[in-house]
Amino acid sequence: MTSVRIWGTGAGAVAILVATGVWARGSSAVDAGLWAQVRPAIEARLVTEMTGSGYAETDEPALRARWFCRAEALELEETAGRVRAGINTLCLEYGADGGTLVECSGGQTPQVVRLARDPAAGGFRILSAQEPPDGEGYGEWEQTHFTHHAASRLDHPMASTSLEAAARTHFGLPPEAPVRDC
């Protein structure tokens, strides 16, 4: 009789843990099809905003530095042809020095981007983009603009592997070219 109580209690505890995990996770799934549609507009805007703002573009013109950006969707909502995208962005400035890829500057920033379907352009256009203020209020901004689950993922560093590969290709460097800081 004791083992039935222990197993019953254990099974009940597992059920509660699973239910809590499902509740805490919320709707963390991102519609991959919708993300594939809005991502090009978002990443193009990121690169456009960064152009002209880098270290190497002004201090080391011989590096021919250029910005490379990527975004990860944390949450997506579409309503009546408009999309709200809670994203994490990574933009890195790379140049080339001989056979070496040179990383000059960059950063990871959360943003909330609002887009609208633009049938004439065959995709989406950006209506607005918000990012947290520098310094005080940064954490509060994250908490008020993202769900709990999405906000908890903002502190995870984004991988730069795909940006390094794109930069190597852009500068005509081999895939194994080393990376160094500016």
Side-chain angles (χ1 to χ4, degrees):
M1 188 67 136
T2 304
S3 65
V4 170
R5 274 190 260 160
I6 291 172
W7 280 101
T9 303
V14 168
I16 289 171
L17 287 173
V18 168
T20 303
V22 168
W23 171 81
R25 181 178 163 120
S27 66
S28 63
V30 170
D31 180 339
L34 180 58
W35 178 238
Q37 293 175 47
V38 300
R39 185 177 184 171
I42 291 170
E43 290 182 344
R45 181 193 61 81
L46 290 171
V47 171
T48 300
E49 285 185 346
M50 297 304 293
T51 301
S53 65
Y55 166 79
E57 291 179 3
T58 57
D59 295 340
E60 295 286 338
L63 293 176
R64 302 179 330 270
R66 173 173 181 247
W67 285 95
F68 296 83
C69 298
R70 72 189 226 20
E72 289 181 356
L74 301 175
E75 46 191 25
L76 283 175
E77 296 174 42
E78 183 176 22
T79 307
R82 298 204 177 218
V83 175
R84 180 193 178 278
I87 61 173
N88 213 350
T89 67
L90 177 64
C91 289
L92 297 171
E93 179 191 31
Y94 291 108
D97 184 18
T100 302
L101 186 63
V102 182
E103 182 181 322
C104 296
S105 59
Q108 182 175 326
T109 308
Q111 293 186 9
V112 173
V113 180
R114 296 185 189 282
L115 306 99
R117 286 197 182 273
D118 189 355
F124 281 84
R125 65 184 164 85
I126 295 182
L127 301 173
S128 67
Q130 297 174 289
E131 59 184 57
D134 290 334
E136 193 173 322
Y138 190 96
E140 183 179 320
W141 186 91
E142 288 179 350
Q143 297 303 318
T144 59
H145 286 77
F146 289 91
T147 62
H148 174 71
H149 176 71
S152 71
R153 295 173 47 209
L154 289 171
D155 293 334
H156 298 196
M158 293 174 65
S160 61
T161 309
S162 64
L163 298 180
E164 287 177 4
R168 285 184 180 105
T169 299
H170 173 78
F171 292 113
L173 299 172
E176 66 280 353
V179 180
R180 72 168 173 84
D181 290 334
C182 240

